Amino acid sequence: MTEISLNILDIAENSTAAGAGLIEILVEIDETENYLRTMIRDNGCGMSEDQLSHVTDPFYTTRTTRKVGLGIPFFKEAAELAGGSFRIESERGKGTTVEAVFEYTNIDRMPLGDISGTIRTLIEGHPDRDFLYTYTHNGCTYTMDTRQMREILGDVPLCEPEVLQYISEYLNENKQETDAAAEKEVLK
Amino acid sequence: MKSLEELKAIRIRMQGQVGLRSEDSTQTRVVVGMATCGIASGARPVLTTLSDAVQSKQLKDVVVTQTGCIGLCQYEPIVEVFEPGKEKITYVHMNPEKALDVVNKHLIGGHPVTAYMLQSSEA
């Protein structure tokens, strides 16, 4: 994996496979405190204690097609190599929360990458699920909630190309504005 | 900040148009593998390129979807094309440029791009 946002995409795909109806994705950058925090929280089927204890082992997977499961180990390794930390909590029937924190200026921190592309890809691939995305940079923030969009759209589905185009623009433009405002915060 | 107001305009414009897409029986499905293996080798930009091209070229009979691990991780990013009544075509080691080629030559032109296809001897 070359981007943090690709790891987020991979972990959130697990959430959809776990049958989650709502997936919350949080990206928070704080340059003063020097961290980049990401969290993926779902209300899917969760894991048993036994599964949870093995989940960061690359040679453990619930799949039957092969013997490796690399998504979570990759993410954990990436965070820990960049002076950060990794946490996963899960409860059967309740859901799973994955949190990875990176030291923001660490030389080994991979770039955040195209996070807006990740969110768009998730919505496009799973228009029947809801996503609550929050991006925060130096205290400046914006959110995108598909439940709110669904309410406005009525019977027009989220996966209509025109709607997806709007979602892409919404994500990209609001990120640019949030980052621009965040730069000013740092200079204060 | 881009507002949700525009979404209301889209709804008004789209109303009555939804459901005009063709039935499943005449639909071509383009499927991109989006498991860890696919994502790590570059499936996300391939998927975005495909769906943007299908939209901009107004290909009403084509849907772009995602799937998990196809089981050929070493060939990722993989794109499978299912045309009604035809054998499945599997494209391997894809990138955005190759994806555009597939849209133009295969989905529009009707000729699968042999150079990007998985050869049966390799699998």
Side-chain angles (χ1 to χ4, degrees):
Chain A
M1 295 280 178
T2 50
E3 297 175 3
I4 291 173
S5 65
L6 290 177
N7 283 282
I8 294 174
L9 174 58
D10 192 24
I11 303 297
E13 290 285 354
N14 297 346
S15 295
T16 64
L22 175 66
I23 299 149
E24 288 171 69
I25 296 172
L26 188 114
V27 173
E28 184 188 8
I29 300 167
D30 190 321
E31 292 182 64
T32 316
E33 298 295 325
N34 195 25
Y35 69 82
L36 185 160
R37 185 170 82 94
T38 68
M39 193 187 73
I40 301 105
R41 179 163 60 200
D42 71 56
N43 61 357
C45 65
M47 284 178 275
S48 67
E49 269 183 47
D50 183 53
Q51 284 175 323
L52 189 59
S53 65
H54 289 104
V55 78
T56 55
D57 174 358
F59 297 102
Y60 177 82
T61 179
T62 52
R63 280 195 312 201
T64 50
T65 44
R66 77 197 74 260
K67 293 193 175 80
V68 292
L70 299 177
I72 288 172
F74 275 165
F75 202 20
K76 179 173 190 275
E77 181 108 333
E80 289 174 353
L81 280 175
S85 62
F86 181 88
R87 187 172 65 89
I88 180 164
E89 281 169 13
S90 188
E91 200 180 323
R92 266 265 183 247
K94 291 253 171 81
T96 301
T97 302
V98 173
E99 185 191 60
V101 184
F102 300 76
E103 198 177 87
Y104 187 67
T105 54
N106 193 295
I107 188 107
D108 290 320
R109 178 183 63 81
M110 52 175 73
L112 176 61
D114 185 7
I115 183 67
S116 302
T118 279
I119 305 297
R120 176 235 158 111
T121 301
L122 283 166
I123 297 171
E124 182 176 10
H126 311 279
D128 54 332
R129 314 300 174 87
D130 278 310
F131 293 90
L132 171 57
Y133 168 60
T134 308
Y135 177 81
T136 305
H137 190 171
N138 296 341
C140 308
T141 190
Y142 83 93
T143 63
M144 197 219 62
D145 188 342
T146 55
R147 292 170 299 185
Q148 210 180 358
M149 292 185 164
R150 236 180 261 282
E151 210 167 284
I152 296 171
L153 284 167
D155 53 2
V156 177
L158 287 172
C159 55
E160 272 300 315
E162 211 174 326
V163 176
L164 280 173
Q165 177 90 37
Y166 165 84
I167 290 175
S168 274
E169 287 166 10
Y170 180 92
L171 289 165
N172 283 319
E173 286 177 26
N174 287 346
K175 180 170 185 295
Q176 269 172 19
E177 283 184 35
T178 305
D179 286 339
E183 289 307 314
K184 286 188 194 136
E185 277 305 309
V186 146
L187 295 174
K188 267 184 198 168
Chain B
M1 287 278 176
K2 202 172 173 72
S3 77
L4 292 169
E5 284 302 312
E6 281 176 56
L7 209 50
K8 287 182 187 156
I10 292 178
R11 181 195 177 167
I12 292 163
R13 212 167 42 239
M14 299 288 296
Q15 246 161 7
Q17 286 187 43
V18 177
L20 285 184
R21 288 188 163 252
S22 57
E23 291 301 307
D24 285 358
S25 56
T26 58
Q27 215 167 44
T28 293
R29 283 197 312 126
V30 180
V31 181
V32 184
M34 289 294 280
T36 305
C37 46
I39 294 169
S41 45
R44 189 188 58 196
V46 169
L47 178 80
T48 312
T49 303
L50 286 169
S51 48
D52 284 349
V54 164
Q55 188 204 349
S56 65
K57 294 175 195 289
Q58 305 268 321
L59 308 180
K60 298 279 183 214
D61 291 337
V62 180
V63 283
V64 181
T65 59
Q66 306 174 12
T67 187
C69 178
I70 295 163
L72 298 166
C73 307
Q74 68 273 37
Y75 294 110
E76 293 282 357
I78 295 176
V79 174
E80 294 177 322
V81 179
F82 298 86
E83 284 178 284
K86 291 188 189 167
E87 231 174 278
K88 173 183 82 176
I89 303 282
T90 304
Y91 290 112
V92 298
H93 296 309
M94 291 298 280
N95 60 35
E97 292 75 40
K98 290 180 178 176
L100 269 185
D101 242 13
V102 167
V103 170
N104 290 326
K105 292 179 181 155
H106 184 172
L107 302 180
I108 298 175
H111 300 289
V113 189
T114 324
Y116 309 151
M117 277 159 56
L118 177 71
Q119 308 303 320
S120 50
S121 56
E122 289 179 74

